[in-house]
Every structure is written in structure tokens, then in C-alpha cells.
Amino acid sequence: MSERKLFAHSRGSAGVRHSLEDHLRGSAALAGRFGEVFGCGELAAYLALIHDVGKGTCVWQDRLLAVEREGGGKVGVMHKHAGTLLADRYTKLPFGAVVFGHHGGMPDMEQLKDELARAMAGGDEAQRVAEAIRAVEAVVPEIHPDPWPALPTWLGAPSGQGRLGLDLLVRMLFSCVVDADFLDTAAHFGGGAVRLREPVDVAALVERYEARRAKMLADRDPSPVDALRQEVYEQACVAASAQPGMYVLHVPTGGAKTMAAGAFALRHAAANGMRRVILAVPFISITEQNAAIYRQLLDPDSPRPEEAVVLEHHSAVDLDSEERLKGLTPTQQDELQARAHTARLAAENWDAPFVVTTTVRLFESLFSHKPSQMRRLHRLAGSVIVLDEVQALPDRLLTPILSALRGLVDHFGVTVVLASATQPSFWRLPVWEGLERRNIVDDPSRLFEALRRVDYEWRTGDDVSLGSIAAEAAEYEQVLTVVNTTKDAAHFHRYLDEHVAQAAEVLHLSTRMTAGHRREAIAEIKKLLSDGQPVQVVSTSLIEAGVDLDFPRVYRAWAPAESMQQAAGRCNRDGRLHRGAVVIFQPSDGKQPRSKTYEAALNASGTYFGPGRSAPDDLEAFERYYPERYAFQQGTPDSGLGAEIEDLRRSLDFPKVDRSFQMIEDELSAPVVIIRWETDREAIETAIARLRDPARPCGPEVLRSLQPHTASLPRGEVEAALRSGLATPITGDLLLWEGGYHPQRGLDPDAPEDRSAFNL
């Protein structure tokens, strides 16, 4: 066996096989480069060097050649144990999870110990492990390192926090190894070299940002609140020169928070030698808007081809999905399984200087145990993370979220910025006790007073309904109504259609529309408002955080206090009226999201806000509101808010952490690709064909191209659509929609589906 050429992968597009030596060394070089950012380059490189040592056995090599002759497919011979044994021998057992999990996901420690026992003398994998190590050490002797890879000194911290730090370190190393493995593998199959972006000159990006911002402001109509916005911006620029840490940007809606956050992040990165900015927002609609703004400010505009600075990532595709959607036929399940490994190479890895993503994607990266989701995690090291609209973080997961953020700041060279008009009281929670808080803006209360631009009205009582509010709203020319569910939005849109004059546009926004459709609708709304034309809009909460719209009148269905204030931020935003009108209504037929967190937020809101109580823009009331809201969900100071996940992290139970940490509860939705226009069909079908082809792995750009054409559907509706033929699987849990699509409401929840009635 020692004289036999060892291979890692079958023939790629260049017609040659991928040698195992080249793959191990190539992956190690990449992983080491990634790990250097947080001081663990040597350790990351070693784990990548040994991750595929198990492929050195005769049985694995023979099976690879057989599969190649058969036209492709899965080798089906386990190859994880040899590298796991080496990781335990030369590092520490927990780092064996990196090697053992590089295909299927990291195991818990009990499983890892059991699998290690199988690899050791007397175990049922011992013979193959020994054979693989003998074969590979002949060509890659460094699999036996001397000295052993160094571990970071901070791992010697006290047991509780030290175990949480170990959990985070293992995750970061796993990300380095998986990304390196994916990149080296994709380069082989693509017939070219690994493509990595060189670090950008962040100081040059700051100059570009400033120059384009100045032009952008000069080209727009002046606003009565421009002076206050400039004051916020200047304070952000001054604060950026300080050391990395945990920062708060507390600015009222309409205070130009997006511009200030970007300026702070870029200047702070330049001042502290940091590598990238990652802006995470709660709603896809905000990623679309913010990414568009930041592209204007940062992307190159020279005639020479240059890579874009800004990457927008909000694809919700689960490429590692184990629990396949119900409704798939056995044949469809087999097809998805066959293309599963190569499909993961399409996972996003955030190799860009300025990333705009969602909080779901960010924290999914932190708390998953699966390769494609964690691939991008190492990019967080040495970065500025801006959590925009931070009030939308789910209470039930606050303890692990805040703990992980603190770990990133303490050990991985990260600065975190909490940006919001409705800042939660995180520093009152035990997990952030003793953590320094750095304020970017000196006196938020003065800004809030100066930017108070609306009066609140209240509609309560049994006679208040979605229909009655639609009838009232229809009497005004320019109105926004925000409701709590996609079904309420569809119902309200129908009611408006009945009441509004034919001359007025009646528009709709929800996640049941594709990203491109939402972008078009928001652009149309802005133009109608700017031109002074009649426009009626109904939206779910996706519009109320960060979407830059300015209505004279806004209706908001009763919701948690921060949502009511955020909705008010779409009213008289530029201060051109003396006062805008915000009407809070409680419809007898309206729906509410069902969760304990939401119920606690509503209960606390009812205590402090409403008729005869405070308005939703009262900062003192908010200071009392958040602690009570948290108290509703806690038994003791160390329970509730996801504290049990911290115990799972300390025990390094990666699969259970993943199952327990669900940003979107119960996996309630699934992504579907929709062909709205025939002009898009060829490009969409080409991308889908690449994702479906197990013999031609593709990179992240393919999924990226489908983002504008993707909408979200409740899991139950998706599974029913699969059974009826209204949807077909693409890869992971991504589906192609074959049913109807309403020109305004998108995937209308109330439209009866008849498979024979639709022609796309």
C-alpha cells in the first residue's frame, strides 16, 4: 500500500484525480491561514492536515475508483477514525470532534469517546486506522507533529467560563477546517486554483465611504432633522478610534443609524487592524435595503473588473438537512442524498470585506454543529459585528447569544455594536455582569426628545377589526398598516382592495413574496411617496425595522412595545410635518405569533404602554419594560432565556446545542424558488441544474444568484405542496415552486391551489 498513489477525490473537470497528499497539505495551508487570525493557525492547520487520513486504506481507495467507474456517487466507506485518533494523541480529545464531524457534523463527547475507543487497540476500526496512518505518514510525515500544536493560553480560565471558551474554540477550528476542505475540494473539481480574497485596505474604504456619503447627501432633499443626523454621525466617527469591545449605538428611528453604524464599523476596523465588517439584521427586507445603501457607498465603480466589497447573504437553505421534508417520494429522498455532499460546497463562507446578513444566519453559524452552516464562522474573528435592530433577538435564546458574543470579544478579537432605537437591558442580565459598556452616542434621551415627531392614538374594543381599520385607513391617501402575521397581511390587503379608490395603489409586503418582489414593492412605495401619489401599504413586521419609508399616517396592530415604536419610525420620518399620526389598534380578529417570548413581551407591554399609560417612545418606560419582560420568563436569575443551552455548551454536546438553539422556532418555514418572469427562467433553471448535479460541485455564487427569487413558506404548506406536485426538491430543503403566485401578495395563504390551473 505504501507505494500506491493515494487519492482524496475522483477526477475533476481537468480530468485528473485529487491526490490525498495535495488535499491534506492544501487544506492545512488554508486552515492555518484562517486560524492565524485568532492565534491558532498551527492548531487549525494540523487538524486540517489529518482530517482525511482515513482515506489511506485500500478499501477506501478501491471503492473510490469503483464509484468513479460507475459514474459517480458516494464512496460509502467511513474514514473519520484515523484523524480522530491523531487529534486525541497530539492535541486534546475535544478537538477530535473537528475531524470526526467534518462531513456529518460534530458529535457530543460521549459519542466521540465511543468512536475513539473503536479506533484504538482492540476496537473494530483499529486495523483500518493503523493501515491508513501507515500509508499516509509515508507521504505526509507531519501527521506526527514535533512539537505538538500549541493551545491558546486563555483555555486555562476557571472551569465554567473556560468550558464555554473551549466550546467556542472548537467551533472556530471546525469552521477553519471545513471551509479549507470545501475550498480545496471545489478548486479540484473546478479545475483551477483556490480563490481567496486578499485583505482589503480598510482605510481606503473609509475614504470611499466618506466621499460617496457626501455626494449622496448633496443629491437628496434637505430634511429638518439633518443637523441631528450629522451630530450622530460625527459622534460615531469619534468613538470609532477607541479599543475593541462591546459598544451601544442608541439612536431614535430616523436618526440615520445605518450611515452612522457603517462609519463607526469601518473606521474602527481601520483603527484597530480588523479584517471585515459583518452587519446582521433581523429581517431580510433590511438586508436588502442596507446592502443596497452600502453597495452605493462601498462597491467599486471603476471600468476595470473588481470584486464587490459588499456581500448580501440571507439564503435560508439548509444544505445539511437530515430530517427531510415530509411529502418527498423515496426516489426524491435518494436523489437529495446523492447530491448532499457536493451541494454543501455551495454554502456561503463570507469571504468579503463587508457582509450584510440576517441574525438568523449569524447565530446559526455560531450554534450549529453542521459543516455548511459553520463554514463561515471563522470569518467572525478579527471583525466588527454590528447587530442592527438588536431588540429583535429572541428572549428565549438571550443567554447563549450574549455569552457567545462576550466570548468573541474576549478571545477572538471581535468588536460588537448593538444598534437600536429600543435598546434592551442586556447589562441587567447575569451573563453580562462586569462587562464594560461603551456608548457611541453621549445623550440618547436628548436625541429622542428632539426627534419626537408623532402623536399616538389608540383603537380598542370589540368593534375594532381588520376590516374596520381597513375602512378607516382607506380614507387617507398615504397610509402604512403593519400587522402581526402573513395571513393577517393577506386578509387586510383584500379589505383595502374593497375600500380604496381605484386611483390609489394598494401594495403588500411579507416573506411570502420573493426577495426581488419585495425590493420592487419597496422601490415603488418610495417613488409614490416621493411623488405625492396615493399609496396604501400593508406589511408584516419586516417593514418596521430599518426600512427607510416616510408616511404621514401609520396603523400598527397591538404588538410588543419595541415593535410599536419601530413602526412609528416609518411615520413623519424626515420631520416634514409638525406631527405624524400613529394609530395602535387591537383587532378582534387579528392573530399573534404563538410563543412564550411573545406572550411575555405583550404582558410587559400592557403593563407600561397603552391608553392612560406611556407612549411607545418613552425611554423611562422602556427601562422598566425589559426587566419585567425577562422576569416573566425566568424562574431564578440563572434560569430561563436559554440558560440550559449554556450547560449543553459546557458539556460540548454540539448536536443538542444545535437542536435547542432554533432562531426560528420549530423550523416553521422553508425556502422556495419562484420563477415570476419568463425572462428569469433560463438563469434560474441553470442555477438549479448546477445545484442538482452531484458530479459538478459549485460555489456559493449559485445559491447567491437565487436569493432574489426565493420566498418563505410555512413547513406544513411546503409539505402539502410536495405531495400535490406544486413543489419539487432542489437540494437540502430548497424547493422549486410550481404553483400560483399572486402579483401583489405572492404565495397567497388563502388562494386555493389547483395544479392544473397554473401555467408558468
Side-chain angles (χ1 to χ4, degrees):
M1 182 71 191
S2 60
E3 298 178 359
R4 180 180 184 179
K5 179 77 170 177
L6 301 177
F7 298 107
H9 301 108
S10 55
R11 300 181 193 275
S13 59
V16 297
R17 300 187 185 100
H18 198 185
S19 86
L20 183 56
E21 178 184 356
D22 287 348
H23 179 52
L24 295 181
R25 293 191 187 281
S27 299
L30 289 169
R33 180 172 170 178
F34 301 152
E36 282 176 1
V37 180
F38 52 93
C40 291
E42 184 183 353
L43 181 56
Y46 179 69
L47 294 173
L49 188 73
I50 62 174
H51 81 284
D52 268 354
V53 167
K55 290 183 176 180
T57 61
C58 289
V59 65
W60 198 95
Q61 294 291 316
D62 290 344
R63 182 61 188 148
L64 175 71
L65 299 180
V67 166
E68 186 180 85
R69 288 193 299 270
E70 294 163 5
K74 195 173 180 180
V75 172
V77 177
M78 189 169 291
H79 64 277
K80 305 173 183 179
H81 289 86
T84 303
L85 179 73
L86 292 169
D88 176 62
R89 181 182 298 170
Y90 296 115
T91 64
K92 284 183 177 291
L93 173 63
F95 301 121
V98 172
V99 176
F100 191 82
H102 74 273
H103 281 311
M106 289 193 294
D108 60 58
M109 287 301 100
E110 290 306 311
Q111 181 189 357
L112 188 61
K113 290 174 184 175
D114 291 344
E115 297 294 346
L116 183 61
R118 295 177 63 196
M120 299 176 79
D124 58 3
E125 288 288 332
Q127 185 174 345
R128 279 198 286 189
V129 164
E131 178 194 351
I133 291 174
R134 283 195 304 272
V136 175
E137 67 189 5
V139 290
V140 188
E142 309 95 285
I143 65 173
H144 302 294
D146 184 18
W148 296 3
L151 305 180
T153 56
W154 55 261
L155 272 182
S159 58
Q161 289 302 318
R163 293 293 287 184
L164 292 174
L166 178 59
D167 165 85
L168 201 50
L169 178 61
V170 173
R171 293 173 182 279
M172 279 288 193
L173 292 167
F174 183 69
S175 173
C176 293
V177 172
V178 167
D179 194 24
D181 180 23
F182 283 12
L183 287 168
D184 193 68
T185 300
H188 161 70
F189 281 110
V194 173
R195 293 182 63 234
L196 279 183
R197 292 185 66 134
E198 293 300 320
V200 300
D201 183 348
V202 181
L205 290 183
V206 171
E207 292 181 10
R208 183 185 292 177
Y209 190 93
E210 290 295 333
R212 292 189 183 175
R213 173 181 176 268
K215 184 179 186 306
M216 190 181 290
L217 293 178
D219 292 343
R220 64 185 294 181
D221 293 333
S223 159
V225 298
D226 281 349
L228 283 167
R229 289 171 175 169
Q230 181 63 23
E231 180 184 339
V232 169
Y233 189 85
E234 290 174 358
Q235 288 195 50
C237 292
V238 171
S241 61
Q243 296 296 308
M246 194 73 67
Y247 286 81
V248 171
L249 179 58
H250 193 183
V251 178
T253 54
K257 175 166 51 65
T258 299
M259 289 280 198
F264 173 90
L266 286 168
R267 286 172 174 268
H268 186 76
N272 290 283
M274 304 170 88
R275 301 166 63 85
R276 65 176 44 80
V277 174
I278 297 171
L279 177 80
V281 296
F283 302 118
I284 290 173
S285 57
I286 317 176
T287 71
E288 295 158 358
Q289 174 180 278
N290 287 358
I293 293 171
Y294 290 128
R295 283 193 195 102
Q296 285 181 266
L297 293 165
L298 291 170
D299 272 355
D301 58 4
S302 65
R304 294 176 304 169
E306 295 182 49
E307 285 191 277
V309 171
V310 177
L311 167 67
E312 178 185 352
H313 175 224
H314 50 69
S315 172
V317 183
D318 181 2
L319 296 171
D320 291 309
S321 181
E322 285 182 343
E323 296 181 8
R324 297 296 177 191
L325 288 164
K326 298 173 184 175
L328 291 174
T329 66
T331 300
Q332 289 173 329
Q333 291 174 348
D334 291 343
E335 289 172 351
L336 284 177
Q337 185 63 36
R339 68 179 74 117
H341 175 58
T342 51
R344 291 177 190 134
L345 301 180
E348 187 59 72
N349 72 345
W350 289 357
D351 187 11
F354 201 109
V355 178
V356 182
T357 188
T358 62
T359 49
V360 173
R361 302 285 78 81
L362 171 63
F363 292 110
E364 167 194 86
S365 305
L366 268 167
F367 293 102
S368 179
H369 80 298
K370 292 302 187 66
S372 66
Q373 294 171 332
M374 297 181 70
R375 175 182 186 178
R376 50 193 175 258
L377 178 57
H378 69 90
R379 304 287 182 185
L380 302 183
S383 71
V384 182
I385 300 174
V386 180
L387 295 176
D388 198 7
E389 308 300 350
V390 70
Q391 77 285 346
L393 291 177
D395 291 5
R396 59 192 170 77
L397 300 174
L398 276 183
T399 296
I401 285 175
L402 299 182
S403 172
L405 291 174
R406 185 169 190 168
L408 289 173
V409 170
D410 288 346
H411 303 306
F412 295 92
V414 171
T415 281
V416 173
V417 180
L418 310 177
S420 177
T422 50
Q423 283 287 341
S425 305
F426 293 154
W427 270 267
R428 296 195 182 192
L429 296 173
V431 67
W432 272 12
E433 185 178 354
L435 179 64
E436 182 181 1
R437 170 179 173 146
R438 303 170 186 235
N439 293 317
I440 294 174
V441 173
D442 294 335
D443 187 4
S445 59
R446 182 180 61 81
L447 290 175
F448 272 79
E449 186 59 39
L451 286 174
R452 185 165 280 124
R453 296 149 298 174
V454 304
D455 291 323
Y456 288 89
E457 304 173 21
W458 304 88
R459 301 281 190 276
T460 59
D462 294 340
D463 59 335
V464 178
S465 66
L466 294 173
S468 71
I469 294 298
E472 179 182 329
E475 297 175 7
Y476 299 88
E477 284 201 336
Q478 294 184 335
V479 182
L480 166 67
T481 302
V482 184
V483 294
N484 291 315
T485 68
T486 57
K487 286 195 173 183
D488 280 2
H491 294 162
F492 199 90
H493 188 264
R494 284 187 169 85
Y495 293 141
L496 282 176
D497 262 344
E498 296 171 4
H499 291 288
V500 172
Q502 287 188 348
E505 289 287 342
V506 182
L507 298 174
H508 168 280
L509 287 167
S510 85
T511 53
R512 286 175 173 268
M513 300 157 62
T514 67
H517 189 182
R518 288 194 303 272
R519 191 177 298 129
E520 293 165 14
I522 290 172
E524 184 177 0
I525 294 165
K526 286 184 175 181
K527 186 174 189 311
L528 290 167
L529 289 171
S530 176
D531 294 344
Q533 296 297 309
V535 56
Q536 286 275 351
V537 179
V538 58
S539 175
T540 58
S541 59
L542 65 80
I543 201 173
E544 68 188 13
V547 180
D548 187 6
L549 297 172
D550 189 354
F551 286 84
R553 191 173 186 85
V554 169
Y555 288 82
R556 186 29 165 129
W558 174 254
E562 68 277 7
S563 292
M564 294 188 286
Q565 186 187 135
Q566 294 289 346
R570 309 319 115 196
C571 183
N572 195 23
R573 188 176 182 85
D574 289 326
R576 303 187 192 282
L577 305 174
H578 173 64
R579 281 283 195 273
V582 176
V583 180
I584 308 295
F585 65 99
Q586 291 184 276
S588 57
D589 55 345
K591 306 298 182 186
Q592 297 279 7
R594 290 176 292 181
S595 74
K596 292 180 180 178
T597 293
Y598 200 84
E599 183 179 347
L602 288 178
N603 288 338
S605 297
T607 301
Y608 296 106
F609 304 95
R613 300 184 180 89
S614 295
D617 54 7
D618 186 326
L619 289 187
E620 291 185 2
F622 262 94
E623 282 296 311
R624 299 189 297 273
Y625 157 73
Y626 276 115
E628 181 156 338
R629 168 172 157 174
Y630 300 151
F632 276 132
Q633 302 168 77
Q634 291 179 287
T636 66
D638 292 321
S639 70
L641 308 183
E644 68 283 356
I645 295 176
E646 291 293 88
D647 293 333
L648 295 174
R649 290 182 61 209
R650 289 186 182 94
S651 65
L652 304 181
D653 193 335
F654 301 106
K656 278 190 179 177
V657 169
D658 192 348
R659 289 193 295 271
S660 301
F661 190 95
Q662 295 291 328
M663 288 285 283
I664 302 173
E665 287 186 282
D666 300 323
E667 297 183 339
L668 290 177
S669 63
V672 293
V673 174
I674 294 155
I675 303 175
R676 290 175 60 215
W677 309 112
E678 279 301 317
T679 51
D680 295 327
R681 179 178 293 279
E682 183 177 356
I684 293 173
E685 290 182 343
T686 298
I688 289 172
R690 290 195 64 187
L691 288 169
R692 282 175 166 165
D693 186 351
R696 292 181 61 228
C698 57
E701 70 283 350
V702 178
L703 277 178
R704 209 176 289 162
S705 72
L706 293 176
Q707 284 183 166
H709 310 289
T710 303
S712 182
L713 262 188
R715 208 80 166 177
E717 291 184 37
V718 163
E719 290 166 352
L722 280 169
R723 287 190 290 268
S724 64
L726 289 168
T728 54
I730 299 174
T731 191
D733 64 349
L734 182 65
L735 306 173
L736 174 63
W737 184 251
E738 309 276 8
Y741 189 87
H742 192 276
Q744 290 167 313
R745 294 189 288 270
L747 298 170
D748 192 335
D750 293 319
E753 289 286 7
D754 176 358
R755 184 67 185 87
S756 63
F758 301 109
N759 294 301
L760 291 179

